[in-house]
Amino acid sequence: MKIYLNGEYVEKEDAKISVFDHGLLYGDGVFEGIRLYDGCVYKLDEHLERLEHSAKAILLEMPMSRAEFAEAVCETCRQNNLRNGYVRLIVTRGPGHLGLTPDGCGPQSVIIIADNIQLYPQELYENGLKIISVPTRRINSSALPPAVKSLNYLNNILAKIEAKRVGFLEALMLNDKGEIAECTGDNVFIIRKGTLYTPPLDAGSLRGITRAAVMDIASGIGIAVKEQALTRYDLWIADECFLTGTAAEVIPCVEVDHRPIGDGKPGELTRKLIDLFRDSVKMDGVRLD
Ligand code: PXG
């Protein structure tokens, strides 16, 4: 496997960065997870724009232009003969000294991995996922804007561990007000009386690119879409529920906190949105050739 590392394509075994890189020492960096469908990098421009925004928010200067990043992402896929898969793009503050200050860090490290990812077993895309709310909360949006996709994922990792320890594959994370924020790497949606609801970004949700795509698809077929604060109760009494994310794609959720959602089977509208999402992914991105 060839990895893009600071302008070069190197074998996985040789893809090494400094132990003084502040991405490692402090989680000081940003990243994107991007899907490749049939030789087409899905929503590449949207991902690169979000990366730029994340970097700007943490005062990290981007070492390359958007066009250079786009070409590096495509070339990493080509170097690995990948037609379908998952691309991880990381920019860190780079090697520096011990101590939090980023003074003396640099140049920034740029890493691109083109590989595969399977977040949940395939069978759950048919039968639905069961999730459980966990004690670890999302970081308060006034402390760190949830839109920043930084290398600090510890609270989401803890939430994942808490869910797994009690036998669930995914955790429902709340914000400090007890409202629904999102799952550990996915946005949450419910359908109630034909309307699609998802928490607003200030509830602690990432501005998910799959979230936006599904909202557009739903509006396009005449479904009312509302960004609204949701409680656990709203999920328990929902008619349907599903999660969205680049890695997860769109997956039905059939149980929340031991309460079956609707009749405990993936909902009809959810299935329709999954089909439409799958149809749309090859038409909305950058072709490798
Ligand atoms: N919330 C969080 C906290 C995320 O990290 C999403 C929602 C979904 O957003 P998108 O734009 O992908 O629709 C994410 C996505 C990884 C990895 O290991 C990254 C994510 C999810 C799962 C795994 O690279 N980020």
Side-chain angles (χ1 to χ4, degrees), residues 38-233:
D38 244 355
C40 184
V41 189
Y42 180 62
K43 303 253 185 204
L44 179 56
D45 200 54
E46 285 83 344
H47 281 285
L48 294 177
E49 182 184 49
R50 188 170 66 184
L51 185 75
E52 287 167 7
H53 290 167
S54 296
K56 186 169 187 188
I58 69 161
L59 298 152
L60 170 62
E61 205 182 310
M62 289 290 259
M64 287 153 60
S65 69
R66 196 182 298 187
E68 286 168 335
F69 271 115
E71 179 45 32
V73 166
C74 293
E75 187 55 26
T76 310
C77 296
R78 289 187 208 109
Q79 292 272 335
N80 290 287
N81 293 318
L82 203 67
R83 305 290 299 170
N84 287 283
Y86 181 78
V87 177
R88 190 84 196 288
L89 168 52
I90 304 153
V91 183
T92 80
R93 194 84 64 179
H97 307 290
L98 295 181
L100 288 172
T101 176
D103 298 347
C105 280
Q108 301 90 326
S109 301
V110 179
I111 303 162
I112 306 175
I113 305 168
D115 198 0
N116 288 294
I117 194 168
Q118 170 123 38
L119 221 51
Y120 309 114
Q122 199 51 43
E123 167 259 322
L124 297 181
Y125 287 82
E126 293 305 317
N127 301 326
L129 178 69
K130 299 175 179 179
I131 63 174
I132 190 152
S133 49
V134 294
T136 296
R137 301 273 164 125
R138 272 290 277 172
I139 291 175
N140 188 319
S141 62
S142 63
L144 183 70
V148 177
K149 210 163 154 53
S150 81
L151 296 179
N152 286 265
Y153 260 59
L154 202 48
N155 63 326
N156 291 39
I157 292 166
L158 292 180
K160 189 89 166 178
I161 292 171
E162 287 160 358
K164 288 218 162 155
R165 292 249 167 132
V166 291
F168 290 81
L169 287 180
E170 191 51 84
L172 179 64
M173 297 186 76
L174 311 178
N175 63 22
D176 60 354
K177 289 191 256 177
E179 299 160 347
I180 308 298
E182 59 182 353
C183 290
T184 62
D186 315 318
N187 292 111
V188 180
F189 285 85
I190 58 168
I191 295 165
R192 182 150 164 78
K193 298 192 192 301
T195 297
L196 185 63
Y197 297 90
T198 194
L201 302 176
D202 64 7
S205 334
L206 183 80
R207 189 191 291 274
I209 286 167
T210 322
R211 173 184 185 271
V214 166
M215 288 163 84
D216 278 353
I217 290 171
S219 309
I221 57 168
I223 299 174
V225 180
K226 287 190 183 162
E227 287 180 70
Q228 188 178 299
L230 299 172
T231 63
R232 291 199 303 155
Y233 173 79

Side-chain angles (χ1 to χ4, degrees), residues 25-44:
L25 288 177
Y26 301 111
D28 189 356
V30 293
F31 79 100
E32 280 297 319
I34 310 168
R35 278 254 180 205
L36 175 69
Y37 292 104
D38 244 355
C40 184
V41 189
Y42 180 62
K43 303 253 185 204
L44 179 56

